[in-house]
Amino acid sequence: MNFKTLNIPGKLIYINVVVYIITQLWRLMLVLFCVSGFEWQNYLALHANLSDFLFTPWTIFTYFFTHADIGSDFLHIVFNMLWLWWFGDFFLRYHTGRQFLSVYLLGGIFSGLFFLLTYNIFPYFIYERAHTAVVGASGAIFALIVAVAMRSPNDTLYLNFIIRTVGVKMKWIAVAALAINLLSLPSSYNAGGIVCHLGGALWGFIYGYCESRGVNIARWFEQLCDKIANAFKPRPKMYATRGGARTVNADKRKDMEYNTSQKEHQDKIDAILDKISKSGYDGLSAEEKQMLFDASHRKRK
């Protein structure tokens, strides 16, 4: 599988799977060598406690590229990647890859901030705040789901239930997903994850609402990503010419053609001058006289 040939959802799935494998191998090494205190969750998961977050601010980005331990939680990454692929395909039917990336990344960041605010504002979470952390791409994926439902509410996703295939419209998928999360929040052991889902859904709604009015609210982020990407692109070598600096890669072929042409022309002039030295100017043909005249005229310019 060539990473460069994958589309944006494919590349994100690739990154998530690679990070998952690395974290599980790291966990295995710690277990085998009986090492404690260096669990990956401490450095990649987003912690609800603000003091912990201030010491690991990068986790607002890394948490949604990271998934939980192997075992029953293996389904966490499996379903997240399936939803990312399905809804990523629908999103790209009406948007560019840059727009997809901005909705996904901003959805993950927004859902993380929503999680931090919720856990530090509402007294309901006061006892869980100190030991709660979240991982997973669900918040970013919920942003995609709601953004797709806002853009194309009547598009249909076909779900295979073994007995029969059922077509469900995007708007009802979004509504059902939100309703399930809201109703299960008070009694769920995964309250932090649900809060992230709701935060991602809120960002998807904001994006879709602005898009319906012709406003790309994430344009600034797309431009920022372009600048960052361009900063890491290798710059072509430069060299000085009389007309100014030019790029080697862009002009290499033109320079080679120009040099070849000039050499051929100079060889003809040299042959004419040799002929003059042997038989005099009158021995030249009319074409040779004209070529010599043009060459001398060009030099005077």
Side-chain angles (χ1 to χ4, degrees), residues 279-292:
S279 57
Y281 181 78
D282 293 333
L284 300 179
S285 65
E287 181 182 354
E288 289 171 335
K289 289 179 181 179
Q290 183 62 44
M291 185 178 294
L292 189 62

Side-chain angles (χ1 to χ4, degrees), residues 90 94-95 147-156 169-171:
F90 274 96
Y94 306 102
H95 302 83
V148 167
M150 293 285 289
R151 173 63 177 78
S152 308
N154 294 316
D155 276 6
T156 303
K169 291 184 177 181
M170 289 295 174
K171 59 184 178 183

Side-chain angles (χ1 to χ4, degrees), residues 16-28 40-41 44-46 62-81 133-138 189-190 193:
N16 274 278
V17 171
V18 168
V19 172
Y20 177 78
I21 293 172
I22 291 174
T23 55
Q24 299 316 311
L25 289 175
W26 174 256
R27 176 174 174 268
L28 176 61
W40 58 261
Q41 293 94 329
L44 299 178
L46 179 61
T62 59
Y63 88 92
F64 60 93
F65 284 99
T66 311
H67 288 80
D69 294 337
I70 202 164
S72 60
D73 286 333
F74 177 70
L75 296 177
H76 185 202
I77 188 172
V78 170
F79 281 106
N80 272 356
M81 296 305 99
V134 291
V135 292
S138 306
Y189 73 95
N190 186 30

Side-chain angles (χ1 to χ4, degrees), residues 45-258:
L46 179 61
H47 294 266
N49 193 320
L50 282 179
S51 61
D52 292 335
F53 172 69
L54 292 175
F55 282 102
T56 56
W58 59 85
T59 56
I60 194 67
F61 184 81
T62 59
Y63 88 92
F64 60 93
F65 284 99
T66 311
H67 288 80
D69 294 337
I70 202 164
S72 60
D73 286 333
F74 177 70
L75 296 177
H76 185 202
I77 188 172
V78 170
F79 281 106
N80 272 356
M81 296 305 99
L82 287 174
W83 283 69
L84 175 56
W85 182 259
W86 291 334
F87 288 94
D89 178 66
F90 274 96
F91 189 89
L92 289 176
R93 294 181 186 182
Y94 306 102
H95 302 83
T96 65
R98 290 168 71 251
Q99 290 173 318
F100 178 96
L101 192 61
S102 66
V103 171
Y104 181 87
L105 294 180
L106 285 176
I109 294 171
F110 188 93
S111 63
L113 293 174
F114 188 81
F115 162 76
L116 287 172
L117 288 174
T118 301
Y119 264 73
N120 286 275
I121 289 176
F122 294 104
Y124 176 81
F125 300 105
I126 190 170
Y127 297 110
E128 300 179 19
R129 188 182 305 155
H131 55 82
T132 298
V134 291
V135 292
S138 306
I141 294 169
F142 262 75
L144 286 173
I145 293 172
V146 176
V148 167
M150 293 285 289
R151 173 63 177 78
S152 308
N154 294 316
D155 276 6
T156 303
L157 178 66
Y158 291 93
L159 303 175
N160 191 342
F161 290 101
I162 302 177
I163 298 176
R164 58 176 298 186
T165 299
V166 178
V168 184
K169 291 184 177 181
M170 289 295 174
K171 59 184 178 183
W172 299 125
I173 292 176
V175 169
L178 288 173
I180 292 171
N181 278 271
L182 284 170
L183 293 175
S184 59
L185 178 60
S187 58
S188 176
Y189 73 95
N190 186 30
I194 292 176
V195 170
C196 283
H197 299 171
L198 298 177
L202 179 59
W203 169 251
F205 175 81
I206 294 171
Y207 181 89
Y209 179 83
C210 293
E211 184 184 36
S212 67
R213 281 152 179 75
V215 178
N216 182 2
I217 195 174
R219 185 180 299 279
W220 65 273
F221 189 78
E222 295 171 14
Q223 294 172 344
L224 176 63
C225 289
D226 287 342
K227 289 181 180 179
I228 295 173
N230 291 333
F232 288 95
K233 286 183 179 179
R235 295 182 179 275
K237 296 180 179 179
M238 307 293 289
Y239 67 96
T241 65
R242 183 171 296 178
R246 295 186 300 172
T247 61
V248 173
N249 293 339
D251 292 338
K252 188 175 182 180
R253 181 173 294 179
K254 291 183 180 179
D255 287 345
M256 292 177 64
E257 293 173 353
Y258 175 78

